[in-house]
Amino acid sequence: MNPSAAWLGEIFGDEALWRPAETPRHLVDTATLAFLREVGFPAVLLDSVGVDATFLPVKGLWEADTDELFGRRTPDDDSPPTEISYCFATYGESHLMVDGDTGRVEIYVADGWDHGEGYGGLAFDGIAELAGAFGLIARFEPRITGDDPGSAIAELRAAVTEPGGEDGPFWTHVFETLDEEFGEG
């Protein structure tokens, strides 16, 4: 899904679409930069699934050494970073990190970084797909928190067509959270 500014603005309000005044120098992926400039990223809280991007307008992007986060280099290795990632949202102890070179959205599990278990998998191929997922969740949220959450969760599950589908690590978290909070689970 490659959502437009109009679609995201309809869902979240135009003021929720964050467009950084300056982008970090290591964020060079052209698709990411174009999306941020032309569309903007929803700096919102999706309370039903515990996903938070509200820090973006206040704090901006958290920059991190990808190899260190994902356990490909030990914390005491002082060599310069070869890859930089940026946090666009959090949920629980996990962070949705965008690779500065490729734009891939990968999950960083904060409690695993110091023992080589910080990599939580690929969430999306780019932030446009992540923003689209936010929009999709937000579209269903009123019904999920309403009178018939089971049907709404089932319809959301059926609507997921992102890479990795509902078996991907981000969607797995979303559906486990929804099932525990609102479903039969």
Side-chain angles (χ1 to χ4, degrees):
M1 171 180 261
N2 195 6
S4 68
W7 186 73
L8 290 171
E10 177 187 319
I11 295 168
F12 299 113
D14 292 332
E15 68 283 352
L17 298 181
W18 177 71
R19 295 175 182 97
E22 292 183 33
T23 52
R25 70 182 177 105
H26 295 290
L27 183 56
V28 296
D29 177 63
T30 55
T32 301
L33 294 172
F35 188 82
L36 288 173
R37 212 176 18 259
E38 297 163 15
V39 177
F41 189 79
V44 298
L45 173 67
L46 298 169
D47 199 36
S48 66
V49 294
V51 173
D52 188 3
T54 58
F55 59 86
L56 290 172
V58 178
K59 295 181 181 179
L61 295 168
W62 170 53
E63 181 178 284
D65 176 345
T66 307
D67 289 333
E68 188 174 316
L69 290 182
F70 295 156
R72 296 186 295 243
R73 183 173 57 231
T74 60
D76 60 348
D77 181 345
D78 292 330
S79 61
T82 59
E83 291 181 52
I84 301 293
S85 291
Y86 298 90
C87 181
F88 273 76
T90 61
Y91 61 93
E93 293 296 316
S94 296
H95 299 66
L96 291 162
M97 305 294 293
V98 174
D99 184 288
D101 290 327
T102 67
R104 292 167 44 113
V105 182
E106 298 171 302
I107 298 170
Y108 161 54
V109 181
D111 64 359
W113 78 273
D114 63 344
H115 49 280
E117 296 174 5
Y119 186 70
L122 176 67
F124 298 96
D125 288 331
I127 65 164
E129 293 171 0
L130 177 59
F134 281 20
L136 197 57
I137 293 165
R139 283 273 188 200
F140 282 90
E141 203 165 38
R143 291 185 47 223
I144 289 169
T145 59
D147 293 339
D148 190 11
S151 292
I153 293 169
E155 287 178 41
L156 174 60
R157 194 180 305 269
V160 172
T161 59
E162 300 298 331
E166 73 173 79
D167 295 329
F170 176 76
W171 287 115
T172 297
H173 162 78
V174 166
F175 290 117
E176 284 176 356
T177 302
L178 292 175
D179 287 341
E180 286 173 17
E181 185 68 27
F182 303 101
E184 306 297 320

